[in-house]
Amino acid sequence: MIRADIIKIYKTVHTWTGITCGFALFIAFYAGALTMFQEPIARWASPPAVGVAAVPLDDAPRLLELVAAAHPEAREHGIMLHLRGNENEPARVTWEEDAPHQEGQPHGHVHWWATLKPDGTLLAREEEPSELAEFINDIHMHVGIARPWGSYFMGVVSLLYGVALIAGVIVLLPSLVKDFFALRIGKNLKRMWLDAHNVVGITALPFHIAMAITATALSLSGPLWSAQESVIFGGKQEILNELDNEPFRPPKPIGEAGAMMAPAQLLQQLKVQVPGFEPRVMIFKNFGDKAASVRVPGAERGYVGDYHLGGVMLSAVTGELLKDRTRPSRQDPDRRASETFYGLHAGQYEGATITWAYFFLGLSGAWLFYSGNLLWIETRRKKAREGGEAEQSRSTRLLGSATVGVCLGCVAGLSLTIVAAKWLHGRVADLNHWHEYIYYIAFLASVAWAFAWGAARSAVHLLWLSAAATMAIPLTTLAALLFPPLGMWAHGSAATIGVDVVAFIGALCFAWMAVATTRRIRNGPADSIWSIRKADTAAPLRAPAAVPAE
């Protein structure tokens, strides 16, 4: 039996680590849930390439030859041949070229795609791809803080998150058997929320432990490697890093022309030499040279990891297997451990089952941190009432406003920036920067609104805003179907329709929460920050302009 004083210490540790890290963890978990559908979101946000017909794989050799002849720089950077034909892949072939250097600007790249015209000639166009999915992932990993400080910050948060998990389990141990599945629904809302908080936390504990460990490793790997390099290896580690990068290096061109093997034949050679390997794309380096190579990123069943990094390299002339140390089953222990950490964190294994499981676990994790703050606030109310105080303290009211503003500001901001992918396409010069502007404006405005109106009223307002912003995702697709002159698009694949369906259900959930919160602030205890009765017990809640009063 654990002594009561020890339980009290761990409860304090769990509470304060949760409160100090809860805001960042809510953003990381909510955005992280969306990143489980990073590819469908990218496909939903990507416009169809006008005039581009699907080039059969059998016609790819001619397309590659024309690109290599017309754009010599693409040979060195790598010509990417897409194998799946998704909406975020504008054509069968894409590549990057160095952007013209401008004074004071970092050196960047311009993106190209190419296809064949009906007469067999080359059609190539420069076009910036949508980076919406990458932006959402960046919010997940750095919660809006610039690199590298966002990584360092989230590394520290993840460490404290692990501490909160351990402390929370110790606090719950004495009553675990009795209270584990006890969800006491009734007038005591605090008890019901505490029961739900405990059930969600314990049932998802393996997931949360995995997230805490992998997030810490991913966020702090850079500074840890640098410290190891300086303190332990004294500069010799650079030699090992060079060897570590060797599997990614293509053979150097020799300056002699060579006949390239057709992509379909290369895939046949790959299937024979590496059975069970699932190729995603083919990246040709030094196309047309006798030493040309093709790197094929992909995945292997039964292994966890990032398919962008794992793969094999073939000779583009003979189809001979040149390098395969980066595919999962052949990786060295260090790389396999690193890939496993990333794959466990990102849910890149076992297909759709894990994707959906991580999605719901991410949403439940976000709710866990939100509910943790609410429970602390209600505990303060009880102590204030026992101390004879009529209202909760100013610090408690500020925490309530911050909880509402940060959490719902993140939800509304991400929904609005997703909607902007279609409404602003072709209407602004740099849409990828506009995604950032829209998210941060919505987020900061929501936080300011929460402090201006207080936790109770702003919770209703911002829940309706989140519902409207999320409902705008499927409505935008519907508008694209009904009003073609708007210049938007509506893809018909299951993945993109799935984005609209999930957003529609999410919007209904936010609307239900807004209605429930309205009832709560009207009828709840007058000494709670979640009530408006203390300000005016007779007057009904004044609804915002966009929300009809009940």
Side-chain angles (χ1 to χ4, degrees), residues 168-253:
V169 171
I170 293 174
V171 168
L172 200 58
L173 278 177
S175 60
L176 182 60
V177 175
K178 181 180 70 174
D179 295 341
F180 182 33
F181 289 112
L183 184 57
R184 287 158 282 196
I185 301 174
K187 293 183 178 180
N188 190 338
L189 290 179
K190 185 199 169 188
R191 169 55 62 186
M192 184 180 69
W193 275 72
L194 179 60
D195 288 343
H197 181 88
N198 292 340
V199 168
V200 171
I202 291 296
T203 53
L205 185 61
F207 172 77
H208 286 282
I209 291 174
M211 291 301 102
I213 294 173
T214 55
T216 302
L218 294 171
S219 299
L220 298 180
S221 59
L224 288 175
W225 273 106
S226 298
Q228 177 178 276
E229 158 67 14
S230 302
V231 176
I232 300 176
F233 295 99
K236 296 179 182 178
Q237 186 70 10
E238 290 297 327
I239 300 173
L240 297 179
N241 288 340
E242 288 294 312
L243 294 174
D244 195 44
N245 289 327
E246 180 60 30
F248 293 97
R249 289 200 184 94
K252 294 182 179 179

Side-chain angles (χ1 to χ4, degrees), residues 49-56 63 89-93 113-118 123:
V50 179
V52 176
V55 175
L63 177 58
E89 300 165 358
R92 175 69 77 175
V93 165
W113 58 258
T115 188
L116 294 175
K117 297 179 182 178
L123 171 63

Side-chain angles (χ1 to χ4, degrees), residues 41-70:
I41 290 174
R43 294 170 64 175
W44 185 92
S46 298
V50 179
V52 176
V55 175
L57 192 62
D58 291 339
D59 292 339
R62 173 167 174 77
L63 177 58
L64 291 167
E65 290 172 3
L66 292 175
V67 168

Side-chain angles (χ1 to χ4, degrees), residues 25 153-163 211-213 215-216 219:
L25 289 171
F153 174 76
M154 287 308 297
V156 174
V157 166
S158 300
L159 281 172
L160 294 176
Y161 167 36
V163 172
M211 291 301 102
I213 294 173
T216 302
S219 299

Side-chain angles (χ1 to χ4, degrees), residues 125-146:
R125 188 177 298 171
E126 178 186 336
E127 188 168 310
E128 193 69 20
S130 172
E131 295 179 2
L132 170 62
E134 288 78 5
F135 173 71
I136 295 174
N137 187 52
D138 193 66
I139 293 295
H140 158 63
M141 297 185 68
H142 308 112
V143 295
I145 302 174

Side-chain angles (χ1 to χ4, degrees), residues 12-44:
T12 302
V13 171
H14 177 77
T15 299
W16 286 105
T17 50
I19 287 175
T20 53
C21 302
F23 296 140
L25 289 171
F26 179 94
I27 295 172
F29 269 74
Y30 185 81
L34 298 187
T35 63
M36 295 314 303
F37 299 103
Q38 189 169 345
E39 183 175 286
I41 290 174
R43 294 170 64 175
W44 185 92

Side-chain angles (χ1 to χ4, degrees), residues 421-429 431 489:
K422 290 187 178 180
W423 284 100
L424 296 185
H425 177 75
R427 296 175 174 87
V428 295
L431 179 54
W489 57 92

